[in-house]
Amino acid sequence: MNLIIFGPPGSGKGTYATRLEAKLGTAPIAMGDIFRDAMKQGTPLGRKVEDYLRSGKLVPDDVVIEVLKERIDQKKGGKGFILDGFPRTIAQARALEKIAKIDAIINLQVPEWIIVARLSSRRICRNCGAVYNILYLKPKKEGICDVCGGPLYQREDDTEAVIRDRIKVYEKQTQPLLEYYKGKVPFVDFNCEELNLPPDTAVAEILKGLKKIGLYKN
Ligand code: ADP
């Protein structure tokens, strides 16, 4: 099964995609994580994308599509994938059509005040990528990952000004994609109105939605 998870920055895409893997076996492919890893390692890809990520702008389509193709190739033979952060433009969606068939779209809707509140207090494990929040999803030991003991850090683009720019980019470039997919691919909609909704509650709702369209049994 191949899924796309859509939602504004801070809507929980990465958190839910990781948890859905445990239930569905779908491997998360998170475009932003791939770019941040490349930057950390100082690869040619990392150098190419760093200015875009720092300012919250989109990386050019040709670069992103090339990376996606490679990743999907690596996951072949598995139980499918869940795309987080791709496609972000219509050109990317068109390219994806030639690469893989998508079975459903998970569409997360979250109001802007929740996004800003969440992202400005988000912390991420440098080692394994687990996500925390210093206000309500705290690690047991400050600054240390519960899962692997790695150090927690704050993303450079998780500052209020850049968060607001990322939301604008999402509304302008990525939201039109929902229209593009309507009628082509089944949707599972999930509305979040609660700042500190436990991730497991959200994941249970998403699984219910997938069950309704016949993609999940249990
Ligand atoms: P967010 O929390 O804003 O959804 P991501 O980790 O998905 O963050 O992406 C971070 C940044 O990586 C984006 O602001 C953008 O610069 C770049 N990026 C990620 N995915 C794409 C994509 N599909 N197309 C272009 N740029 C992308």
Side-chain angles (χ1 to χ4, degrees):
M1 167 170 29
N2 299 328
L3 305 170
I4 302 174
I5 189 159
F6 274 119
S11 54
K13 296 182 299 274
T15 308
Y16 304 156
T18 315
R19 287 166 196 244
L20 285 167
E21 183 183 23
K23 300 279 180 188
L24 304 168
T26 45
I29 300 181
M31 211 37 89
D33 289 350
I34 295 171
F35 293 149
R36 280 183 293 275
D37 270 352
M39 281 164 58
K40 196 167 81 185
Q41 286 166 20
T43 66
L45 174 68
R47 286 196 291 278
K48 217 186 271 180
V49 302
E50 62 192 357
D51 286 345
Y52 297 99
L53 269 88
R54 293 222 165 91
S55 58
K57 304 251 159 39
L58 292 186
V59 172
D61 286 335
D62 54 337
V63 177
V64 188
I65 290 164
E66 208 42 55
V67 172
L68 180 88
K69 271 190 199 150
E70 262 171 41
R71 286 298 158 130
I72 288 186
D73 264 351
Q74 287 168 8
K75 306 282 180 199
K76 279 219 171 103
K79 288 189 172 173
F81 52 77
I82 177 159
L83 297 179
D84 160 6
F86 187 98
R88 269 175 146 103
T89 62
I90 300 275
Q92 292 179 13
R94 294 220 170 94
L96 177 61
E97 263 160 34
K98 299 196 187 102
I99 305 170
K101 182 181 173 293
I102 299 301
D103 298 293
I105 285 178
I106 299 166
N107 180 30
L108 309 175
Q109 281 151 320
V110 182
E112 181 161 339
W113 72 269
I114 292 189
I115 297 173
V116 175
R118 275 185 185 167
L119 290 188
S120 40
S121 50
R122 173 163 83 171
R123 298 291 184 275
I124 300 165
C125 174
R126 208 173 269 293
N127 204 16
C128 74
V131 178
Y132 298 88
N133 189 292
I134 50 170
L135 298 181
Y136 56 86
L137 203 68
K138 288 186 192 166
K140 291 197 185 88
K141 240 201 226 157
E142 197 187 315
I144 304 288
C145 177
D146 291 350
V147 182
C148 75
L152 304 185
Y153 80 108
Q154 179 167 30
R155 258 170 60 174
E156 240 180 290
D157 59 352
D158 278 350
T159 56
E160 185 158 345
V162 183
I163 294 167
R164 294 211 188 266
D165 279 342
R166 282 155 59 205
I167 296 172
K168 278 196 206 113
V169 170
Y170 180 77
E171 285 170 353
K172 187 159 169 269
Q173 313 243 44
T174 307
Q175 250 170 11
L177 276 176
L178 298 174
E179 285 306 315
Y180 175 85
Y181 279 114
K182 277 209 178 114
K184 284 191 183 154
V185 179
F187 270 59
V188 171
D189 288 310
F190 177 70
N191 288 326
C192 175
E193 297 291 340
E194 206 183 310
L195 176 61
N196 49 3
L197 183 81
D200 286 339
T201 310
V203 168
E205 285 300 312
I206 293 170
L207 288 171
K208 251 194 232 165
L210 286 170
K211 199 170 167 182
K212 260 192 210 150
I213 57 173
L215 287 175
Y216 179 65
K217 295 179 190 65
N218 242 12

